[in-house]
Amino acid sequence: MSFNTFGHLFRVTTWGESHGPALGATVDGCPPGVALDAGMIQHWLDRRKPGQNRHTTQRREPDTVEILSGVYEGRTTGTPIQLMIRNVDQRSKDYGNILDTFRPGHADITYFQKYGLRDPRGGGRSSARETAARVAAGAIAREVLKTLAPNVTITGYMVQMGPHQIDRSRFDLAQIDRNPFWVPDAQAAEDWASALDQIRKDGNSVGAMIEVVAAGVPAGLGAPIYAKLDTELAAAMMSINAVKGVEIGAGMAAASLTGVENADEIEMGADGPHYRTNKAGGILGGISTGQDVVVRFAIKPTSSIHTPRASVTRAGEATEVVTKGRHDPCVGIRAVPVGEAMMACVLLDQLLLHRAQTGATGPVAEIGKNAPE
Ligand SMILES: C=C(O[C@@H]1CC(C(=O)O)=C[C@@H](OP(=O)(O)O)[C@H]1O)C(=O)O
């Protein structure tokens, strides 16, 4: 059990608090010889960083990453890679009024119950700011994946903000980089902008659903029963602060399908088996099928809101909490690059495990080619 570490062979430890001097990730087990520089990591951090438009927190953090170890002359050396991001725009006085009380819906109360003390500034370790470290680690995973599984592409987007869902008949991936919501539906982007403006003006917040799709994943990643690829992905996504639900493929909706509807029929294509549908989300028996791996996760509404909520003090007296400061009216928006990063870390870790166990980086038995009798 490691409290701040995830992964088996590609192991990521994140550290740091929202208002401390810095935060970062220690990446251990990264294969040697992979081209890496700070710019490659910065590219992904720039997609997550706060303050980029009116729909996110106005805290201004450049999220500039420094590589302190594990890279020599532009290549990974196989030793731990230490990544550091300095915090530069902390405003800890905003948190003066929650020193002695707890925001409803927030980790404030459980951190205090468990440890007897907490760093309340910016939520400390429970802050969404911790996700910067994950994105930095995910950027390294992506560079390694380019060398070991070059066909893998990972794409995340929002499919729901509060009650507003995208219209899949308008689904257009080209829209993702054209709106602040990473939403593949131009009409939804417009509608959501005004809805979120109203939520913010009301001193309120909303939740979100993010979908992350990994294409080009070879068949064979993952393992049965206790080491299912589904389990690993669910744990990775659930570990993101504010995530309250994860599903793979048809997910919760599978409960209402019949066996006929759920069976992803198989036919032979020129390059191997093709599936007519993807209810399985690219995973059967805990092992990737070669189809798109599809994960969705639900992010709760930001608990730091400007509307008074009933709470208690440490002494147990009734009080009311109004959160001050700069907050995301929908923290789910910035979770899109985070979900992508977690997908990259899990897929690389699973690829390394598959290689360690079987010696292969792809399927051992190829249907229609070398499948053993
Ligand atoms: C800074 C980031 O997000 C922060 C996440 C956060 C929270 O409570 O989760 C609260 C806010 O921090 P602060 O109160 O210090 O302004 C956000 O700005 C970030 O993600 O980089």
Side-chain angles (χ1 to χ4, degrees), residues 18-19 48-50 57-59 61 63 89-91 94-95 103 106 122-123 126-132 302 304 324-328 331 334:
S18 181
H19 288 210
R48 191 220 67 98
K49 73 181 176 191
T57 169
Q58 293 309 298
R59 180 167 161 179
E61 290 286 349
D63 280 358
D89 188 25
Q90 305 95 318
R91 231 169 49 190
D94 288 346
Y95 290 86
R103 284 164 285 184
H106 194 276
S126 66
S127 170
R129 184 135 184 78
E130 187 271 346
T131 60
T302 316
S304 304
K324 298 178 187 158
R326 309 156 291 183
H327 296 285
D328 292 271
V331 73
R334 289 188 307 117

PDB file of all heavy atoms in Angstrom, residues 18-19 48-50 57-59 61 63 89-91 94-95 103 106 122-123 126-132 302 304 324-328 331 334, ligand 1:
ATOM      1  N   SER A  18      -1.687  22.761  -2.379  1.00  0.00           N
ATOM      2  CA  SER A  18      -2.112  23.874  -3.238  1.00  0.00           C
ATOM      3  C   SER A  18      -1.398  25.184  -2.901  1.00  0.00           C
ATOM      4  O   SER A  18      -1.088  25.963  -3.786  1.00  0.00           O
ATOM      5  CB  SER A  18      -3.624  24.069  -3.104  1.00  0.00           C
ATOM      6  OG  SER A  18      -4.071  25.109  -3.926  1.00  0.00           O
ATOM      7  N   HIS A  19      -1.156  25.437  -1.614  1.00  0.00           N
ATOM      8  CA  HIS A  19      -0.547  26.710  -1.216  1.00  0.00           C
ATOM      9  C   HIS A  19       0.865  26.546  -0.658  1.00  0.00           C
ATOM     10  O   HIS A  19       1.427  27.479  -0.098  1.00  0.00           O
ATOM     11  CB  HIS A  19      -1.438  27.440  -0.201  1.00  0.00           C
ATOM     12  CG  HIS A  19      -2.687  28.000  -0.805  1.00  0.00           C
ATOM     13  ND1 HIS A  19      -3.317  29.131  -0.347  1.00  0.00           N
ATOM     14  CD2 HIS A  19      -3.429  27.580  -1.869  1.00  0.00           C
ATOM     15  CE1 HIS A  19      -4.391  29.379  -1.088  1.00  0.00           C
ATOM     16  NE2 HIS A  19      -4.481  28.429  -2.002  1.00  0.00           N
ATOM     17  N   ARG A  48      -4.135  22.168 -18.938  1.00  0.00           N
ATOM     18  CA  ARG A  48      -4.861  22.036 -17.672  1.00  0.00           C
ATOM     19  C   ARG A  48      -4.831  23.283 -16.804  1.00  0.00           C
ATOM     20  O   ARG A  48      -5.693  23.497 -15.951  1.00  0.00           O
ATOM     21  CB  ARG A  48      -4.258  20.859 -16.872  1.00  0.00           C
ATOM     22  CG  ARG A  48      -5.073  20.430 -15.645  1.00  0.00           C
ATOM     23  CD  ARG A  48      -4.178  20.081 -14.456  1.00  0.00           C
ATOM     24  NE  ARG A  48      -3.509  21.264 -13.967  1.00  0.00           N
ATOM     25  CZ  ARG A  48      -3.914  21.983 -12.925  1.00  0.00           C
ATOM     26  NH1 ARG A  48      -4.962  21.624 -12.221  1.00  0.00           N
ATOM     27  NH2 ARG A  48      -3.255  23.081 -12.563  1.00  0.00           N
ATOM     28  N   LYS A  49      -3.829  24.140 -17.018  1.00  0.00           N
ATOM     29  CA  LYS A  49      -3.553  25.184 -16.018  1.00  0.00           C
ATOM     30  C   LYS A  49      -4.757  26.119 -15.802  1.00  0.00           C
ATOM     31  O   LYS A  49      -5.565  26.310 -16.718  1.00  0.00           O
ATOM     32  CB  LYS A  49      -2.302  25.969 -16.400  1.00  0.00           C
ATOM     33  CG  LYS A  49      -2.457  26.911 -17.554  1.00  0.00           C
ATOM     34  CD  LYS A  49      -1.133  27.602 -17.825  1.00  0.00           C
ATOM     35  CE  LYS A  49      -1.268  28.482 -19.052  1.00  0.00           C
ATOM     36  NZ  LYS A  49       0.020  28.985 -19.529  1.00  0.00           N
ATOM     37  N   PRO A  50      -4.827  26.696 -14.610  1.00  0.00           N
ATOM     38  CA  PRO A  50      -6.001  27.518 -14.275  1.00  0.00           C
ATOM     39  C   PRO A  50      -5.956  28.885 -14.953  1.00  0.00           C
ATOM     40  O   PRO A  50      -4.930  29.280 -15.524  1.00  0.00           O
ATOM     41  CB  PRO A  50      -5.896  27.655 -12.758  1.00  0.00           C
ATOM     42  CG  PRO A  50      -4.452  27.502 -12.442  1.00  0.00           C
ATOM     43  CD  PRO A  50      -3.894  26.575 -13.478  1.00  0.00           C
ATOM     44  N   THR A  57     -11.217  28.845 -12.539  1.00  0.00           N
ATOM     45  CA  THR A  57     -10.689  29.685 -11.460  1.00  0.00           C
ATOM     46  C   THR A  57      -9.784  30.782 -12.024  1.00  0.00           C
ATOM     47  O   THR A  57      -9.067  30.556 -13.008  1.00  0.00           O
ATOM     48  CB  THR A  57      -9.889  28.832 -10.452  1.00  0.00           C
ATOM     49  OG1 THR A  57      -9.182  29.712  -9.573  1.00  0.00           O
ATOM     50  CG2 THR A  57      -8.874  27.935 -11.124  1.00  0.00           C
ATOM     51  N   GLN A  58      -9.790  31.930 -11.386  1.00  0.00           N
ATOM     52  CA  GLN A  58      -8.956  33.041 -11.862  1.00  0.00           C
ATOM     53  C   GLN A  58      -7.575  33.037 -11.201  1.00  0.00           C
ATOM     54  O   GLN A  58      -6.800  33.973 -11.372  1.00  0.00           O
ATOM     55  CB  GLN A  58      -9.679  34.381 -11.646  1.00  0.00           C
ATOM     56  CG  GLN A  58     -10.925  34.518 -12.526  1.00  0.00           C
ATOM     57  CD  GLN A  58     -10.636  34.221 -14.009  1.00  0.00           C
ATOM     58  OE1 GLN A  58      -9.843  34.911 -14.640  1.00  0.00           O
ATOM     59  NE2 GLN A  58     -11.275  33.176 -14.564  1.00  0.00           N
ATOM     60  N   ARG A  59      -7.281  31.995 -10.449  1.00  0.00           N
ATOM     61  CA  ARG A  59      -5.907  31.876  -9.926  1.00  0.00           C
ATOM     62  C   ARG A  59      -4.943  31.752 -11.114  1.00  0.00           C
ATOM     63  O   ARG A  59      -5.196  30.953 -12.025  1.00  0.00           O
ATOM     64  CB  ARG A  59      -5.805  30.658  -9.005  1.00  0.00           C
ATOM     65  CG  ARG A  59      -4.424  30.477  -8.425  1.00  0.00           C
ATOM     66  CD  ARG A  59      -4.434  29.486  -7.286  1.00  0.00           C
ATOM     67  NE  ARG A  59      -3.097  28.976  -7.012  1.00  0.00           N
ATOM     68  CZ  ARG A  59      -2.802  28.115  -6.057  1.00  0.00           C
ATOM     69  NH1 ARG A  59      -3.749  27.666  -5.258  1.00  0.00           N
ATOM     70  NH2 ARG A  59      -1.565  27.698  -5.878  1.00  0.00           N
ATOM     71  N   GLU A  61      -1.634  30.593 -12.427  1.00  0.00           N
ATOM     72  CA  GLU A  61      -0.465  29.741 -12.210  1.00  0.00           C
ATOM     73  C   GLU A  61       0.116  29.374 -13.570  1.00  0.00           C
ATOM     74  O   GLU A  61      -0.577  28.768 -14.388  1.00  0.00           O
ATOM     75  CB  GLU A  61      -0.860  28.457 -11.462  1.00  0.00           C
ATOM     76  CG  GLU A  61      -1.258  28.655 -10.015  1.00  0.00           C
ATOM     77  CD  GLU A  61      -0.065  28.948  -9.110  1.00  0.00           C
ATOM     78  OE1 GLU A  61       1.085  28.795  -9.561  1.00  0.00           O
ATOM     79  OE2 GLU A  61      -0.299  29.340  -7.950  1.00  0.00           O
ATOM     80  N   ASP A  63       2.244  27.152 -14.057  1.00  0.00           N
ATOM     81  CA  ASP A  63       2.484  25.696 -14.020  1.00  0.00           C
ATOM     82  C   ASP A  63       3.746  25.314 -14.792  1.00  0.00           C
ATOM     83  O   ASP A  63       3.759  24.321 -15.545  1.00  0.00           O
ATOM     84  CB  ASP A  63       1.262  24.925 -14.549  1.00  0.00           C
ATOM     85  CG  ASP A  63       0.154  24.800 -13.503  1.00  0.00           C
ATOM     86  OD1 ASP A  63       0.351  25.282 -12.362  1.00  0.00           O
ATOM     87  OD2 ASP A  63      -0.904  24.233 -13.821  1.00  0.00           O
ATOM     88  N   ASP A  89       0.837  31.801  -7.136  1.00  0.00           N
ATOM     89  CA  ASP A  89      -0.293  32.727  -6.962  1.00  0.00           C
ATOM     90  C   ASP A  89      -1.209  32.292  -5.813  1.00  0.00           C
ATOM     91  O   ASP A  89      -2.437  32.304  -5.938  1.00  0.00           O
ATOM     92  CB  ASP A  89      -1.073  32.833  -8.288  1.00  0.00           C
ATOM     93  CG  ASP A  89      -2.139  33.921  -8.252  1.00  0.00           C
ATOM     94  OD1 ASP A  89      -1.996  34.873  -7.453  1.00  0.00           O
ATOM     95  OD2 ASP A  89      -3.122  33.819  -9.007  1.00  0.00           O
ATOM     96  N   GLN A  90      -0.605  31.900  -4.690  1.00  0.00           N
ATOM     97  CA  GLN A  90      -1.412  31.510  -3.533  1.00  0.00           C
ATOM     98  C   GLN A  90      -2.007  32.768  -2.880  1.00  0.00           C
ATOM     99  O   GLN A  90      -1.353  33.803  -2.829  1.00  0.00           O
ATOM    100  CB  GLN A  90      -0.551  30.806  -2.466  1.00  0.00           C
ATOM    101  CG  GLN A  90       0.237  29.621  -2.947  1.00  0.00           C
ATOM    102  CD  GLN A  90       1.646  29.984  -3.338  1.00  0.00           C
ATOM    103  OE1 GLN A  90       1.893  30.997  -3.975  1.00  0.00           O
ATOM    104  NE2 GLN A  90       2.600  29.146  -2.960  1.00  0.00           N
ATOM    105  N   ARG A  91      -3.234  32.662  -2.402  1.00  0.00           N
ATOM    106  CA  ARG A  91      -3.844  33.768  -1.641  1.00  0.00           C
ATOM    107  C   ARG A  91      -4.485  33.152  -0.407  1.00  0.00           C
ATOM    108  O   ARG A  91      -5.699  33.015  -0.310  1.00  0.00           O
ATOM    109  CB  ARG A  91      -4.884  34.460  -2.515  1.00  0.00           C
ATOM    110  CG  ARG A  91      -4.689  35.962  -2.556  1.00  0.00           C
ATOM    111  CD  ARG A  91      -5.501  36.667  -3.601  1.00  0.00           C
ATOM    112  NE  ARG A  91      -6.901  36.284  -3.605  1.00  0.00           N
ATOM    113  CZ  ARG A  91      -7.758  36.628  -4.565  1.00  0.00           C
ATOM    114  NH1 ARG A  91      -7.355  37.350  -5.590  1.00  0.00           N
ATOM    115  NH2 ARG A  91      -9.013  36.255  -4.510  1.00  0.00           N
ATOM    116  N   ASP A  94      -7.726  33.969   1.836  1.00  0.00           N
ATOM    117  CA  ASP A  94      -9.095  33.597   1.442  1.00  0.00           C
ATOM    118  C   ASP A  94      -9.631  32.447   2.303  1.00  0.00           C
ATOM    119  O   ASP A  94     -10.837  32.214   2.346  1.00  0.00           O
ATOM    120  CB  ASP A  94      -9.126  33.146  -0.028  1.00  0.00           C
ATOM    121  CG  ASP A  94      -8.943  34.306  -0.991  1.00  0.00           C
ATOM    122  OD1 ASP A  94      -9.063  35.463  -0.552  1.00  0.00           O
ATOM    123  OD2 ASP A  94      -8.665  34.044  -2.178  1.00  0.00           O
ATOM    124  N   TYR A  95      -8.718  31.714   2.907  1.00  0.00           N
ATOM    125  CA  TYR A  95      -9.128  30.512   3.654  1.00  0.00           C
ATOM    126  C   TYR A  95      -9.192  30.745   5.154  1.00  0.00           C
ATOM    127  O   TYR A  95      -9.436  29.806   5.911  1.00  0.00           O
ATOM    128  CB  TYR A  95      -8.201  29.339   3.300  1.00  0.00           C
ATOM    129  CG  TYR A  95      -8.451  28.873   1.888  1.00  0.00           C
ATOM    130  CD1 TYR A  95      -7.815  29.486   0.812  1.00  0.00           C
ATOM    131  CD2 TYR A  95      -9.377  27.880   1.620  1.00  0.00           C
ATOM    132  CE1 TYR A  95      -8.077  29.106  -0.494  1.00  0.00           C
ATOM    133  CE2 TYR A  95      -9.653  27.490   0.313  1.00  0.00           C
ATOM    134  CZ  TYR A  95      -9.000  28.101  -0.739  1.00  0.00           C
ATOM    135  OH  TYR A  95      -9.278  27.724  -2.023  1.00  0.00           O
ATOM    136  N   ARG A 103     -16.115  23.071   4.924  1.00  0.00           N
ATOM    137  CA  ARG A 103     -17.044  23.298   3.811  1.00  0.00           C
ATOM    138  C   ARG A 103     -17.880  22.033   3.588  1.00  0.00           C
ATOM    139  O   ARG A 103     -17.312  20.961   3.371  1.00  0.00           O
ATOM    140  CB  ARG A 103     -16.261  23.603   2.524  1.00  0.00           C
ATOM    141  CG  ARG A 103     -15.681  24.986   2.452  1.00  0.00           C
ATOM    142  CD  ARG A 103     -14.633  25.081   1.368  1.00  0.00           C
ATOM    143  NE  ARG A 103     -13.385  24.418   1.777  1.00  0.00           N
ATOM    144  CZ  ARG A 103     -12.267  24.412   1.062  1.00  0.00           C
ATOM    145  NH1 ARG A 103     -12.253  25.001  -0.109  1.00  0.00           N
ATOM    146  NH2 ARG A 103     -11.186  23.809   1.514  1.00  0.00           N
ATOM    147  N   HIS A 106     -16.991  18.956   1.100  1.00  0.00           N
ATOM    148  CA  HIS A 106     -15.541  19.027   0.881  1.00  0.00           C
ATOM    149  C   HIS A 106     -14.812  18.058   1.817  1.00  0.00           C
ATOM    150  O   HIS A 106     -15.357  17.645   2.849  1.00  0.00           O
ATOM    151  CB  HIS A 106     -15.065  20.473   1.130  1.00  0.00           C
ATOM    152  CG  HIS A 106     -13.686  20.746   0.616  1.00  0.00           C
ATOM    153  ND1 HIS A 106     -12.554  20.445   1.337  1.00  0.00           N
ATOM    154  CD2 HIS A 106     -13.265  21.299  -0.550  1.00  0.00           C
ATOM    155  CE1 HIS A 106     -11.491  20.794   0.625  1.00  0.00           C
ATOM    156  NE2 HIS A 106     -11.889  21.307  -0.521  1.00  0.00           N
ATOM    157  N   GLY A 122      -6.251  26.567   0.519  1.00  0.00           N
ATOM    158  CA  GLY A 122      -6.532  26.044  -0.821  1.00  0.00           C
ATOM    159  C   GLY A 122      -6.934  24.579  -0.813  1.00  0.00           C
ATOM    160  O   GLY A 122      -6.910  23.929  -1.854  1.00  0.00           O
ATOM    161  N   GLY A 123      -7.285  24.060   0.341  1.00  0.00           N
ATOM    162  CA  GLY A 123      -7.660  22.645   0.400  1.00  0.00           C
ATOM    163  C   GLY A 123      -6.455  21.723   0.530  1.00  0.00           C
ATOM    164  O   GLY A 123      -6.598  20.505   0.563  1.00  0.00           O
ATOM    165  N   SER A 126      -6.089  18.092  -0.884  1.00  0.00           N
ATOM    166  CA  SER A 126      -7.366  17.733  -1.515  1.00  0.00           C
ATOM    167  C   SER A 126      -7.724  18.696  -2.645  1.00  0.00           C
ATOM    168  O   SER A 126      -8.764  18.550  -3.284  1.00  0.00           O
ATOM    169  CB  SER A 126      -8.494  17.704  -0.478  1.00  0.00           C
ATOM    170  OG  SER A 126      -8.731  18.997   0.039  1.00  0.00           O
ATOM    171  N   SER A 127      -6.867  19.673  -2.909  1.00  0.00           N
ATOM    172  CA  SER A 127      -7.132  20.646  -3.975  1.00  0.00           C
ATOM    173  C   SER A 127      -7.008  20.013  -5.353  1.00  0.00           C
ATOM    174  O   SER A 127      -6.164  19.138  -5.580  1.00  0.00           O
ATOM    175  CB  SER A 127      -6.131  21.792  -3.869  1.00  0.00           C
ATOM    176  OG  SER A 127      -6.210  22.619  -5.010  1.00  0.00           O
ATOM    177  N   ALA A 128      -7.817  20.531  -6.269  1.00  0.00           N
ATOM    178  CA  ALA A 128      -7.685  20.111  -7.674  1.00  0.00           C
ATOM    179  C   ALA A 128      -6.301  20.460  -8.213  1.00  0.00           C
ATOM    180  O   ALA A 128      -5.901  19.972  -9.269  1.00  0.00           O
ATOM    181  CB  ALA A 128      -8.752  20.782  -8.528  1.00  0.00           C
ATOM    182  N   ARG A 129      -5.590  21.283  -7.492  1.00  0.00           N
ATOM    183  CA  ARG A 129      -4.254  21.649  -7.956  1.00  0.00           C
ATOM    184  C   ARG A 129      -3.317  20.436  -8.018  1.00  0.00           C
ATOM    185  O   ARG A 129      -2.366  20.407  -8.792  1.00  0.00           O
ATOM    186  CB  ARG A 129      -3.693  22.737  -7.032  1.00  0.00           C
ATOM    187  CG  ARG A 129      -2.372  23.251  -7.471  1.00  0.00           C
ATOM    188  CD  ARG A 129      -2.209  24.742  -7.443  1.00  0.00           C
ATOM    189  NE  ARG A 129      -0.909  25.083  -7.989  1.00  0.00           N
ATOM    190  CZ  ARG A 129      -0.628  25.096  -9.286  1.00  0.00           C
ATOM    191  NH1 ARG A 129      -1.549  24.841 -10.173  1.00  0.00           N
ATOM    192  NH2 ARG A 129       0.586  25.385  -9.709  1.00  0.00           N
ATOM    193  N   GLU A 130      -3.592  19.439  -7.195  1.00  0.00           N
ATOM    194  CA  GLU A 130      -2.772  18.215  -7.201  1.00  0.00           C
ATOM    195  C   GLU A 130      -2.738  17.580  -8.585  1.00  0.00           C
ATOM    196  O   GLU A 130      -1.787  16.881  -8.955  1.00  0.00           O
ATOM    197  CB  GLU A 130      -3.343  17.216  -6.172  1.00  0.00           C
ATOM    198  CG  GLU A 130      -2.497  15.969  -5.951  1.00  0.00           C
ATOM    199  CD  GLU A 130      -2.836  14.813  -6.891  1.00  0.00           C
ATOM    200  OE1 GLU A 130      -3.892  14.852  -7.548  1.00  0.00           O
ATOM    201  OE2 GLU A 130      -2.037  13.865  -6.963  1.00  0.00           O
ATOM    202  N   THR A 131      -3.782  17.849  -9.375  1.00  0.00           N
ATOM    203  CA  THR A 131      -3.882  17.182 -10.682  1.00  0.00           C
ATOM    204  C   THR A 131      -2.818  17.658 -11.669  1.00  0.00           C
ATOM    205  O   THR A 131      -2.571  16.986 -12.676  1.00  0.00           O
ATOM    206  CB  THR A 131      -5.279  17.375 -11.305  1.00  0.00           C
ATOM    207  OG1 THR A 131      -5.531  18.778 -11.485  1.00  0.00           O
ATOM    208  CG2 THR A 131      -6.361  16.780 -10.428  1.00  0.00           C
ATOM    209  N   ALA A 132      -2.192  18.818 -11.381  1.00  0.00           N
ATOM    210  CA  ALA A 132      -1.106  19.280 -12.267  1.00  0.00           C
ATOM    211  C   ALA A 132       0.002  18.228 -12.294  1.00  0.00           C
ATOM    212  O   ALA A 132       0.569  17.925 -13.354  1.00  0.00           O
ATOM    213  CB  ALA A 132      -0.572  20.626 -11.789  1.00  0.00           C
ATOM    214  N   THR A 302     -18.022  21.602  -7.649  1.00  0.00           N
ATOM    215  CA  THR A 302     -17.039  22.203  -6.740  1.00  0.00           C
ATOM    216  C   THR A 302     -17.721  22.519  -5.402  1.00  0.00           C
ATOM    217  O   THR A 302     -18.778  23.151  -5.381  1.00  0.00           O
ATOM    218  CB  THR A 302     -16.528  23.522  -7.360  1.00  0.00           C
ATOM    219  OG1 THR A 302     -16.274  23.303  -8.742  1.00  0.00           O
ATOM    220  CG2 THR A 302     -15.297  24.027  -6.651  1.00  0.00           C
ATOM    221  N   SER A 304     -16.464  24.411  -3.013  1.00  0.00           N
ATOM    222  CA  SER A 304     -16.186  25.780  -2.576  1.00  0.00           C
ATOM    223  C   SER A 304     -17.107  26.716  -3.344  1.00  0.00           C
ATOM    224  O   SER A 304     -16.843  27.034  -4.502  1.00  0.00           O
ATOM    225  CB  SER A 304     -14.730  26.140  -2.867  1.00  0.00           C
ATOM    226  OG  SER A 304     -13.879  25.208  -2.250  1.00  0.00           O
ATOM    227  N   LYS A 324     -14.754  31.931   0.256  1.00  0.00           N
ATOM    228  CA  LYS A 324     -14.282  33.117  -0.467  1.00  0.00           C
ATOM    229  C   LYS A 324     -13.300  32.673  -1.547  1.00  0.00           C
ATOM    230  O   LYS A 324     -13.013  31.500  -1.693  1.00  0.00           O
ATOM    231  CB  LYS A 324     -13.589  34.059   0.518  1.00  0.00           C
ATOM    232  CG  LYS A 324     -14.516  34.563   1.609  1.00  0.00           C
ATOM    233  CD  LYS A 324     -13.748  35.441   2.575  1.00  0.00           C
ATOM    234  CE  LYS A 324     -14.632  35.793   3.753  1.00  0.00           C
ATOM    235  NZ  LYS A 324     -13.837  36.169   4.925  1.00  0.00           N
ATOM    236  N   GLY A 325     -12.739  33.631  -2.230  1.00  0.00           N
ATOM    237  CA  GLY A 325     -11.645  33.325  -3.152  1.00  0.00           C
ATOM    238  C   GLY A 325     -12.084  32.915  -4.535  1.00  0.00           C
ATOM    239  O   GLY A 325     -13.229  33.067  -4.933  1.00  0.00           O
ATOM    240  N   ARG A 326     -11.098  32.346  -5.256  1.00  0.00           N
ATOM    241  CA  ARG A 326     -11.259  32.055  -6.683  1.00  0.00           C
ATOM    242  C   ARG A 326     -11.520  30.564  -6.858  1.00  0.00           C
ATOM    243  O   ARG A 326     -10.724  29.743  -6.429  1.00  0.00           O
ATOM    244  CB  ARG A 326      -9.963  32.440  -7.396  1.00  0.00           C
ATOM    245  CG  ARG A 326      -9.518  33.846  -7.063  1.00  0.00           C
ATOM    246  CD  ARG A 326      -8.034  34.033  -7.252  1.00  0.00           C
ATOM    247  NE  ARG A 326      -7.248  33.308  -6.274  1.00  0.00           N
ATOM    248  CZ  ARG A 326      -5.916  33.361  -6.204  1.00  0.00           C
ATOM    249  NH1 ARG A 326      -5.240  34.094  -7.041  1.00  0.00           N
ATOM    250  NH2 ARG A 326      -5.262  32.672  -5.287  1.00  0.00           N
ATOM    251  N   HIS A 327     -12.617  30.246  -7.488  1.00  0.00           N
ATOM    252  CA  HIS A 327     -12.936  28.819  -7.622  1.00  0.00           C
ATOM    253  C   HIS A 327     -13.517  28.507  -8.983  1.00  0.00           C
ATOM    254  O   HIS A 327     -14.059  29.372  -9.652  1.00  0.00           O
ATOM    255  CB  HIS A 327     -13.891  28.389  -6.504  1.00  0.00           C
ATOM    256  CG  HIS A 327     -13.251  28.516  -5.162  1.00  0.00           C
ATOM    257  ND1 HIS A 327     -12.301  27.637  -4.716  1.00  0.00           N
ATOM    258  CD2 HIS A 327     -13.358  29.478  -4.219  1.00  0.00           C
ATOM    259  CE1 HIS A 327     -11.860  28.037  -3.535  1.00  0.00           C
ATOM    260  NE2 HIS A 327     -12.479  29.151  -3.205  1.00  0.00           N
ATOM    261  N   ASP A 328     -13.419  27.252  -9.346  1.00  0.00           N
ATOM    262  CA  ASP A 328     -13.991  26.798 -10.616  1.00  0.00           C
ATOM    263  C   ASP A 328     -15.492  26.580 -10.427  1.00  0.00           C
ATOM    264  O   ASP A 328     -15.882  25.772  -9.580  1.00  0.00           O
ATOM    265  CB  ASP A 328     -13.369  25.458 -11.027  1.00  0.00           C
ATOM    266  CG  ASP A 328     -11.907  25.586 -11.385  1.00  0.00           C
ATOM    267  OD1 ASP A 328     -11.629  25.856 -12.563  1.00  0.00           O
ATOM    268  OD2 ASP A 328     -11.054  25.414 -10.490  1.00  0.00           O
ATOM    269  N   VAL A 331     -15.394  22.373 -11.893  1.00  0.00           N
ATOM    270  CA  VAL A 331     -13.996  21.905 -11.883  1.00  0.00           C
ATOM    271  C   VAL A 331     -13.800  20.749 -12.857  1.00  0.00           C
ATOM    272  O   VAL A 331     -12.676  20.435 -13.263  1.00  0.00           O
ATOM    273  CB  VAL A 331     -13.545  21.573 -10.436  1.00  0.00           C
ATOM    274  CG1 VAL A 331     -14.175  20.282  -9.943  1.00  0.00           C
ATOM    275  CG2 VAL A 331     -12.037  21.552 -10.324  1.00  0.00           C
ATOM    276  N   ARG A 334     -11.565  21.293 -16.166  1.00  0.00           N
ATOM    277  CA  ARG A 334     -10.113  21.093 -16.185  1.00  0.00           C
ATOM    278  C   ARG A 334      -9.726  19.649 -15.888  1.00  0.00           C
ATOM    279  O   ARG A 334      -8.544  19.294 -15.884  1.00  0.00           O
ATOM    280  CB  ARG A 334      -9.439  22.099 -15.245  1.00  0.00           C
ATOM    281  CG  ARG A 334      -9.522  23.508 -15.865  1.00  0.00           C
ATOM    282  CD  ARG A 334      -8.736  24.542 -15.146  1.00  0.00           C
ATOM    283  NE  ARG A 334      -9.066  24.559 -13.757  1.00  0.00           N
ATOM    284  CZ  ARG A 334      -8.205  24.281 -12.793  1.00  0.00           C
ATOM    285  NH1 ARG A 334      -6.966  24.000 -13.067  1.00  0.00           N
ATOM    286  NH2 ARG A 334      -8.597  24.323 -11.545  1.00  0.00           N
TER     287      ARG A 334
HETATM  288  C1  LIG B   1      -5.058  26.419  -8.613  1.00  0.00           C
HETATM  289  C2  LIG B   1      -5.768  25.435  -9.095  1.00  0.00           C
HETATM  290  O1  LIG B   1      -7.052  25.171  -8.759  1.00  0.00           O
HETATM  291  C3  LIG B   1      -7.496  25.486  -7.470  1.00  0.00           C
HETATM  292  C4  LIG B   1      -8.329  24.342  -6.996  1.00  0.00           C
HETATM  293  C5  LIG B   1      -9.045  24.657  -5.754  1.00  0.00           C
HETATM  294  C6  LIG B   1      -9.605  23.549  -4.996  1.00  0.00           C
HETATM  295  O2  LIG B   1     -10.035  23.749  -3.853  1.00  0.00           O
HETATM  296  O3  LIG B   1      -9.652  22.407  -5.508  1.00  0.00           O
HETATM  297  C7  LIG B   1      -9.243  25.941  -5.312  1.00  0.00           C
HETATM  298  C8  LIG B   1      -8.655  27.077  -6.015  1.00  0.00           C
HETATM  299  O4  LIG B   1      -7.433  27.408  -5.443  1.00  0.00           O
HETATM  300  P1  LIG B   1      -7.215  28.747  -4.652  1.00  0.00           P
HETATM  301  O5  LIG B   1      -8.250  28.787  -3.612  1.00  0.00           O
HETATM  302  O6  LIG B   1      -5.844  28.681  -4.129  1.00  0.00           O
HETATM  303  O7  LIG B   1      -7.370  29.856  -5.677  1.00  0.00           O
HETATM  304  C9  LIG B   1      -8.360  26.734  -7.462  1.00  0.00           C
HETATM  305  O8  LIG B   1      -7.727  27.839  -8.032  1.00  0.00           O
HETATM  306  C10 LIG B   1      -5.227  24.500 -10.084  1.00  0.00           C
HETATM  307  O9  LIG B   1      -5.905  23.522 -10.397  1.00  0.00           O
HETATM  308  O10 LIG B   1      -4.113  24.713 -10.556  1.00  0.00           O
END
